[in-house]
């Protein structure tokens, strides 16, 4: 790394220097420590980015060469907070020793945002956030970040161009075509080494290009980066790691949002991200009822199955698509059918048969209701029809794995398929007889029945007493596992199981860690994320 940093001595532009350092820091971005055959372990205080980055800073500080000082100057601007603080101290120490620093070092990071824009595609699938920066009016450059709302609002791509005028001219002339369109593709070509967005070809509809207040741009990009960084294996572009540190640093220079920030006219996807709508159960039910009473749903023969399918469509739009159940797009339809449903929802055979047809009817109804063009609705319908055969193949009924349907129904009253492993871990004994009680008649979703189920798991008659503190502790962790709260709990349990610990020992470890962490939920999540503890040495 230090030998490669010698190239920093040859550049004059602070922008070029920052991009070079960002590429170096991106070498290990996204890598996580783990054991062979086990799931990656994400630690809050000792992940690879911190370990390698801080080690690089310490090594550079010991060398005392101009290349080391150049690298430290860049990391002081682009590194994580810990890396940046250590790099700044080390750089100042080298300068006091008389080590020469490059001319760009006094300008690196000293940027200000001049304007921000959002380029929203016709369907609301994604936004291109464009932020224009300069070094005190010199070297203007634009940072472009792609936020994908079908991936939870994740930042999936980003690049930089110095041809700001040409970029904005193309966007304005196009009216804001979506990424992958001829204009976005041309704008992308302006980025030196920028990623390719695939084949050209516009999408039906009316995309928009509008100014964006810098505080809202910061809120949007911070949220998108947080989603990306939280994913264990984010589906980002091949070049994204090289720009990650640069994007993170530029976002920090944007003014923070204070109070309520209105979404400007013209924003579609980002507006939803900035102010997530709350949808109560009664409001969701009313929307489903309106759909089932529409002409588009008239030909759905099995009304019971259609109603359940519509419930899942609305829940997905409210909970996973930033409160936008009526939003229609080809990408959203494919993600819902081929990714979310197979992983998250248990469908009866009748619902599996009905789902694609209900979704097609929903696309026609919701698209018309939101004013989507006929061509855009047709594109979304094509995506549904093209996905039907694949949906049949990829959707797995739990019964196909040999799980008894009644047992699955008891563990998944909410049809949340993703919850099945952790709930089965929390309540492994659901059949048989315990002290005259038929366990098969008990409901693990009922707090009143849970104590008996856990007492049967312990096979201890004394554990059935209402004042038994040991079962109380097991009840508390079982309730958390049932709800998946916090997510770090089940992740920690899996890591401990991967190490060969038996189930009961894992439960006791989780109980002890939660108890020691106290009442603060953030402290509980942090303690669980650090399980198992670091090995000595």
């Amino acid at each position: 790394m230090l030998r490669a940093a010698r190239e920093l001595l040859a550049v004059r532009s602070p922008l070029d220097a920052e991009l070079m350092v960002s590429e170096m820091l991106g070498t290990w971005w996204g890598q996580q420590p783990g054991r062979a055959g086990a799931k990656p372990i994400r630690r809050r205080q000792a992940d690879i980015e911190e370990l390698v980055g801080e080690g690089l800073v310490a090594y550079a500080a010991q060398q005392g060469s101009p290349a080391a000082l150049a690298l430290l100057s860049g990391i002081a601007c682009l590194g994580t907070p810990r890396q940046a603080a250590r790099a700044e101290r080390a750089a100042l120490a080298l300068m006091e020793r008389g080590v020469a620093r490059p001319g760009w070092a006094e300008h690196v990071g000293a940027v200000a945002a001049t304007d921000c824009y959002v380029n929203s595609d016709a369907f609301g699938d994604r936004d291109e956030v464009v932020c224009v920066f300069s070094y005190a009016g010199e070297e203007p450059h634009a940072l472009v970040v792609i936020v994908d709302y079908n991936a939870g609002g994740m930042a999936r791509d980003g690049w930089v161009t110095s041809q700001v005028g040409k970029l904005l001219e193309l966007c304005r002339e196009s009216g804001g075509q979506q990424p992958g369109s001829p204009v976005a593709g041309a704008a992308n070509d302006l980025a030196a080494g920028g990623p390719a967005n695939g084949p050209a070809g516009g999408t039906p509809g009316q995309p928009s290009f509008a100014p964006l207040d810098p505080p809202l741009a910061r809120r949007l990009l911070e949220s998108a980066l947080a989603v990306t960084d939280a994913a264990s294996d984010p589906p980002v572009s091949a070049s994204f790691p090289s720009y990650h540190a640069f994007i993170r640093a530029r976002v920090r220079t944007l003014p923070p949002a204070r109070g309520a920030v209105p979404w400007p006219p013209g924003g579609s996807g980002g507006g939803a991200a900035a102010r997530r709508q709350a949808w109560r159960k009664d409001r969701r039910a009313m929307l489903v009822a309106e759909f089932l009473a529409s002409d588009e749903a008239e030909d759905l023969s099995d009304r019971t199955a259609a109603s359940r399918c519509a419930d899942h469509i609305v829940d997905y739009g409210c909970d996973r698509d930033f409160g936008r159940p009526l939003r229609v797009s080809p990408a959203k339809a494919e993600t819902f059918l081929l990714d979310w449903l197979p992983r998250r929802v248990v469908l009866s055979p009748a619902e599996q048969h009905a789902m694609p047809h209900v979704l097609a009817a929903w696309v026609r109804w919701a698209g018309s209701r939101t004013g989507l063009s006929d061509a855009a609705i047709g594109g979304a319908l094509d995506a549904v029809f093209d996905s039907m055969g694949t949906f049949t193949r990829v959707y797995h009924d739990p019964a196909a794995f040999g799980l008894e349907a009644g047992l699955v129904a008891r563990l998944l009253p909410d049809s949340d398929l993703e919850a099945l492993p952790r709930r089965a871990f929390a309540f492994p004994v659901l059949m048989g007889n315990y002290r005259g009680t038929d366990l098969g008649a008990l409901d693990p979703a009922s707090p009143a029945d849970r104590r008996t189920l856990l007492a049967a798991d312990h096979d201890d008659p004394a554990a059935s007493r209402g004042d038994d503190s040991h079962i109380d502790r097991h009840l508390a962790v079982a309730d958390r596992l049932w709800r998946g709260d916090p997510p770090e709990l089940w992740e920690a349990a899996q890591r401990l199981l991967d190490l060969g610990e038996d189930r009961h020992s894992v439960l006791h470890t989780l109980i002890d860690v939660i108890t020691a962490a106290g009442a603060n939920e953030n402290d509980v999540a942090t303690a669980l994320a650090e399980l198992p503890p670091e090995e000595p040495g």
Side-chain angles (χ1 to χ4, degrees):
M1 285 288 181
L2 197 57
R3 285 195 295 271
R6 294 172 185 170
E7 296 182 16
L8 291 169
L9 302 176
V11 303
R12 296 184 178 182
S13 164
L15 176 60
D16 291 341
E18 288 189 67
L19 290 174
M20 290 174 64
V21 173
S22 180
E23 183 175 5
M24 295 177 68
L25 295 178
T27 303
W28 60 83
W29 178 82
Q31 302 296 321
Q32 295 297 330
R35 295 173 176 82
K39 293 188 176 183
I41 299 176
R42 180 176 291 274
R43 300 187 184 279
R44 294 174 179 264
Q45 299 179 3
D47 66 10
I48 285 181
E49 184 168 2
E50 292 292 343
L51 290 172
V52 179
E54 291 174 17
L56 177 60
V57 169
Y59 181 77
Q62 296 171 0
Q63 304 310 303
S65 65
L69 178 55
L71 179 59
L72 291 170
S73 300
I75 296 178
C77 168
L78 299 172
T80 65
R82 286 167 58 93
Q83 294 169 6
R86 297 185 180 191
E88 184 176 11
R89 290 195 298 269
L92 290 173
L94 293 184
M95 290 166 59
E96 290 177 357
R97 290 166 48 187
V99 178
R101 67 171 181 165
W104 51 259
E106 63 181 281
H107 303 289
V108 68
V111 297
T114 55
D115 297 292
C116 296
Y117 306 88
V118 62
N119 191 16
S120 301
D121 72 79
F123 290 111
D125 284 323
R126 57 175 66 184
D127 285 340
E128 283 183 326
V129 181
V130 181
C131 298
V132 181
F133 299 90
S134 68
Y135 299 89
E138 301 294 328
E139 278 203 86
H141 53 279
L143 169 66
V144 184
V145 179
I146 303 298
V147 181
D148 187 342
Y149 297 106
N150 290 316
M154 175 184 296
R156 294 188 63 167
D157 206 349
W159 63 90
V160 178
T161 177
S162 59
Q163 300 186 44
V164 178
K166 186 66 173 177
L167 170 67
L168 298 181
E169 179 184 355
L170 289 169
C171 290
R172 292 189 181 105
E173 288 179 353
S174 71
Q177 296 290 330
Q178 72 161 8
S181 69
V183 173
N188 193 30
D189 290 341
L190 296 174
N197 272 322
T203 299
Q206 296 180 347
S208 62
F209 179 72
L212 178 64
D213 287 340
L216 186 51
R218 174 169 180 162
R219 177 180 295 178
L220 175 57
L221 292 177
E222 283 180 336
S223 174
L225 281 177
V227 175
T228 305
D229 291 339
S232 58
D233 187 18
V236 296
S237 69
S239 62
F240 182 82
S242 297
Y243 290 99
H244 178 267
F246 184 92
I247 295 171
R248 179 180 58 198
R250 283 296 185 268
V251 170
R252 289 198 296 253
T253 68
L254 294 171
R258 300 184 183 279
V261 182
W263 177 249
S268 58
R275 45 181 177 82
R276 186 188 299 264
Q277 299 184 32
W279 283 76
R280 300 187 310 272
K281 289 185 178 180
D282 57 344
R283 190 180 176 196
R284 300 184 190 198
M286 184 178 298
L287 190 62
V288 171
E290 291 179 21
F291 162 68
L292 294 175
S294 68
D295 293 340
E296 289 81 1
E298 184 178 7
D299 294 333
L300 299 174
S301 56
D302 189 337
R303 306 299 287 183
T304 301
S307 177
R308 290 295 304 273
C309 291
D311 287 339
H312 295 311
I313 294 171
V314 171
D315 288 344
Y316 177 77
C318 293
D319 301 333
R320 298 288 176 165
D321 193 26
F322 300 88
R324 298 181 293 176
L326 293 173
R327 186 178 76 85
V328 168
S329 83
K332 180 179 178 180
E334 291 179 359
T335 302
F336 173 74
L337 271 181
L338 305 182
D339 182 50
W340 188 75
L341 273 177
R343 291 188 301 106
R344 293 299 308 270
V345 178
V346 177
L347 297 176
S348 69
E351 292 163 2
Q352 292 177 46
H353 174 75
M355 179 58 79
H357 305 284
V358 176
L359 182 58
W362 180 273
V363 166
R364 288 190 291 267
W365 178 73
S368 176
R369 178 166 172 165
T370 56
L372 207 59
S373 69
D374 291 341
I377 294 174
L381 286 173
D382 287 343
V384 175
F385 297 144
D386 291 343
S387 300
M388 283 186 176
T390 306
F391 171 72
T392 302
R393 292 194 303 271
V394 301
Y395 186 84
H396 295 297
D397 186 338
F401 300 109
L403 299 177
E404 194 268 321
L407 185 64
V408 172
R410 292 167 65 197
L411 288 171
L412 304 180
D414 51 4
S415 298
D416 186 359
L417 183 59
E418 197 172 52
L420 182 59
R422 68 171 188 270
R423 291 178 181 176
F425 175 78
F427 297 99
V429 180
L430 295 172
M431 304 297 292
N433 188 283
Y434 175 72
R435 302 189 69 200
T437 299
D438 180 8
L439 299 179
L442 299 182
D443 181 7
S446 167
D449 291 346
R450 287 179 175 177
R451 174 175 292 276
T452 303
L453 290 171
L454 291 177
D457 179 33
H458 285 74
D459 196 19
D460 180 3
S464 62
R465 298 198 308 268
D467 60 347
D468 188 271
S469 60
H470 183 74
I471 293 296
D472 286 341
R473 290 192 292 272
H474 276 273
L475 275 171
V477 75
D479 177 67
R480 284 181 175 272
L481 285 165
W482 184 274
R483 294 180 287 113
D485 181 30
E488 289 84 356
L489 177 61
W490 178 231
E491 294 169 0
Q494 293 176 88
R495 292 196 296 269
L496 293 169
L497 290 170
D498 287 337
L499 294 178
E501 293 193 28
D502 66 82
R503 172 184 167 275
H504 206 73
S505 297
V506 170
L507 284 170
H508 277 257
T509 299
L510 297 176
I511 291 171
D512 292 342
V513 169
I514 292 173
T515 302
N520 187 287
E521 289 298 312
N522 289 332
D523 292 341
V524 171
T526 299
L528 291 169
E530 294 177 349
L531 280 176
E534 288 279 10
E535 298 175 356

